[in-house]
Amino acid sequence: MKNFSNYTDFDRKEDLHFESKVVHGALGTEPLTGAVSMPIFQAATFRHPALGESTGFAYSRLENPTRQELERTMAILEGGIRGFAFSSGQAANMAVFSLLNPGEHVILSDDIYGGTFRIIGDVFGKYGITHTYVDMSDLDEIKAAIRPNTKMLFVETPTNPMMKVADIRAVADLAKEIGALTVVDNTFLTPYFQKPLQLGADIVTHSSTKYLGGHNDTISGIVVVKESEELSQKIHMHIKSHGSQLAPLDSWLILRGIKTLAVRMDRHNENAQKLAAWLKTQPKVKKIYYVGFPEHKDYAVTKKQTMGFGGMISFTVDSFETVENILRKVDLIMFAESLGGTETLITYPTTQTHEDTPLAVKESLGITDCFLRMSVGIENVEDIIVDLDRALNG
């Protein structure tokens, strides 16, 4: 019986362009049969050849060939030494925050995803881990929040949903000065547009439910560690002990989605630019949050550290009545949570993605009852605009 768990063919993919890496993945083909699509190894346990011998796999909670291909592929795409595939983005973040010890302190982006508010406050707070939310686009705010026990800076960039942009290299340099880890949630831009590990981050996380999977058909999360074997072993112990690993079928779905990541991200990016420009012309639209506008306060940082602007736009309208009309009348555009799929989605953050965020925090950020967020899909952009125009002005 052959052992392909230690095949290192994927190491030779480093010289390929990104568009080729996403198509061919780590091993590229399944080595035992030559299957062009990595099979779904729907097995709980694996047979051993003899005592003291192994195929490299024993039990799917520990290792599974399909999940391993996804994890190695993501390590290649992000430029890290090891990737881990979790059952959700929340599970991935749980593993990352588990690196903190009781009595330690973490600084987070202030308009971070509502579920992360819940994790760090309600779950880890009771274990003696303290936290501070700051505007990560302002280095002075970060510096002011640092304590002697600060051990992690957790950054969303762009943030969800206010589209603030942190200077990853500057944040990472600051973290290194105080002996803290830099963790970057790269969900919005993916490694196609942004590579946090190359900019100094220690760990990258994803809700791979979103752009990596790209089809709104499965839930998953990814963690990639840059270079620390110690951190890798700690994440491995967490996923092994908590049983929060991604199932084989879901791993295969994310792998399949990643194959078209480059072409999809280009289309998301192009459509969002055109839709954002159209929104500027609409009298009922009062403010647009889009990192691709030159007047965005963090535009220079975006241009410095990314290759694209992504497909996310937030905006406020003139009244709650307009919000109701839009959410009731959209047709091609779907009123639904989540983001990053082929379909254009519109979300009402105050009661959906940021329901768990305290009201005072939401109001201070600008997440009001007139605030909407759009994940711009890959449909023909003229159809998206016609549909939103009908809902907004009809």
Side-chain angles (χ1 to χ4, degrees):
M1 301 177 74
K2 295 182 180 180
N3 180 339
F4 74 87
S5 68
N6 295 317
Y7 271 45
T8 56
D9 294 12
F10 68 99
D11 292 332
R12 299 200 291 270
K13 303 290 173 62
E14 293 300 328
D15 294 333
L16 297 177
H17 291 85
F18 190 92
E19 293 87 345
S20 299
K21 291 178 182 180
V22 293
V23 171
H24 290 279
L27 289 176
T29 59
E30 193 274 314
L32 302 185
T33 66
V36 171
S37 173
M38 178 60 70
I40 303 167
F41 284 84
Q42 194 64 47
T45 190
F46 299 84
R47 180 181 179 181
H48 300 296
L51 185 63
E53 297 180 25
S54 174
T55 62
F57 301 95
Y59 193 64
S60 272
R61 178 167 51 80
L62 309 178
E63 297 288 352
N64 177 278
T66 315
R67 187 170 71 248
Q68 183 184 78
E69 175 69 3
L70 171 59
E71 293 172 335
R72 287 178 167 182
T73 295
M74 282 307 303
I76 291 168
L77 299 182
E78 286 286 10
I81 62 168
R82 191 164 180 188
F84 301 88
F86 290 83
S87 57
S88 69
Q90 289 289 81
N93 284 345
M94 285 289 292
V96 168
F97 289 128
S98 292
L99 295 171
L100 294 166
N101 296 312
E104 293 182 341
H105 174 247
V106 55
I107 301 173
L108 306 96
S109 302
D110 57 0
D111 67 309
I112 207 161
Y113 169 60
T116 309
F117 267 94
R118 184 170 61 249
I119 287 177
I120 200 64
D122 297 345
V123 177
F124 285 92
K126 67 182 181 182
Y127 297 122
I129 294 169
T130 57
H131 61 278
T132 304
Y133 298 109
V134 303
D135 180 351
M136 285 282 189
S137 67
D138 187 333
L139 283 176
D140 289 334
E141 278 201 33
I142 301 174
K143 291 175 183 177
I146 291 173
R147 303 176 185 175
N149 60 337
T150 300
K151 296 300 178 183
M152 181 182 291
L153 274 61
F154 190 97
V155 185
E156 275 187 8
T157 183
T159 58
N160 178 14
M162 305 308 294
M163 309 302 164
K164 299 176 185 176
V165 177
D167 186 327
I168 297 172
R169 190 176 296 281
V171 172
D173 288 345
L174 183 59
K176 286 179 173 60
E177 290 177 10
I178 62 171
L181 295 174
T182 302
V183 182
V184 177
D185 184 329
N186 202 26
T187 298
F188 272 19
L189 292 183
T190 83
Y192 183 58
F193 283 145
Q194 178 171 267
K195 291 184 170 59
L197 299 185
Q198 292 183 5
L199 296 168
D202 300 291
I203 296 172
V204 166
T205 69
H206 288 269
S207 173
S208 39
T209 306
K210 313 304 193 293
Y211 288 107
L212 293 177
H215 292 78
N216 287 320
D217 56 11
T218 191
I219 304 293
S220 62
I222 295 288
V223 172
V224 178
V225 176
K226 181 179 182 180
E227 59 188 7
S228 170
E229 290 289 353
E230 181 183 0
L231 289 179
S232 295
Q233 287 303 316
K234 287 181 178 179
I235 298 291
H236 176 70
M237 179 58 69
H238 178 97
I239 200 169
K240 172 181 175 180
S241 302
H242 287 245
S244 51
Q245 72 290 326
L246 192 60
L249 173 59
D250 301 285
S251 298
W252 183 84
L253 286 168
I254 301 299
L255 273 171
R256 186 176 65 166
I258 286 173
K259 288 179 183 291
T260 59
L261 178 64
V263 292
R264 286 187 289 105
M265 292 306 294
D266 280 339
R267 186 60 173 265
H268 288 301
N269 190 65
E270 177 187 350
N271 281 357
Q273 287 180 294
K274 292 177 179 177
L275 182 62
W278 178 82
L279 285 169
K280 272 188 171 182
T281 69
Q282 299 306 299
K284 291 183 180 180
V285 176
K286 297 306 176 184
K287 187 170 183 178
I288 306 167
Y289 302 83
Y290 174 60
V291 297
F293 284 153
E295 61 268 28
H296 189 288
K297 71 180 184 68
D298 304 317
Y299 183 77
V301 175
T302 296
K303 292 290 287 184
K304 178 178 70 172
Q305 69 185 17
T306 75
M307 299 296 291
F309 306 118
M312 300 302 299
I313 304 171
S314 296
F315 60 98
T316 57
V317 293
D318 58 350
S319 68
F320 180 64
E321 180 183 5
T322 297
V323 167
E324 291 182 305
N325 286 336
I326 291 172
L327 298 182
R328 182 174 64 253
K329 293 180 180 179
V330 286
D331 183 19
L332 175 80
I333 299 167
M334 288 179 270
F335 174 31
E337 294 192 47
S338 199
L339 59 101
T342 56
E343 305 85 2
T344 299
L345 303 181
I346 191 164
T347 300
Y348 190 53
T350 191
T351 60
Q352 291 184 305
T353 58
H354 287 66
E355 181 182 12
D356 292 320
T357 304
L359 179 60
V361 174
K362 285 190 285 193
E363 290 179 345
S364 68
L365 292 170
I367 305 174
T368 67
D369 60 1
C370 294
F371 185 88
L372 293 163
R373 189 195 73 184
M374 287 190 70
S375 171
V376 184
I378 65 171
E379 306 97 337
N380 185 291
V381 71
E382 295 303 323
D383 293 334
I384 299 171
I385 290 172
V386 166
D387 192 50
L388 186 56
D389 186 27
R390 184 187 302 115
L392 179 63
N393 300 310

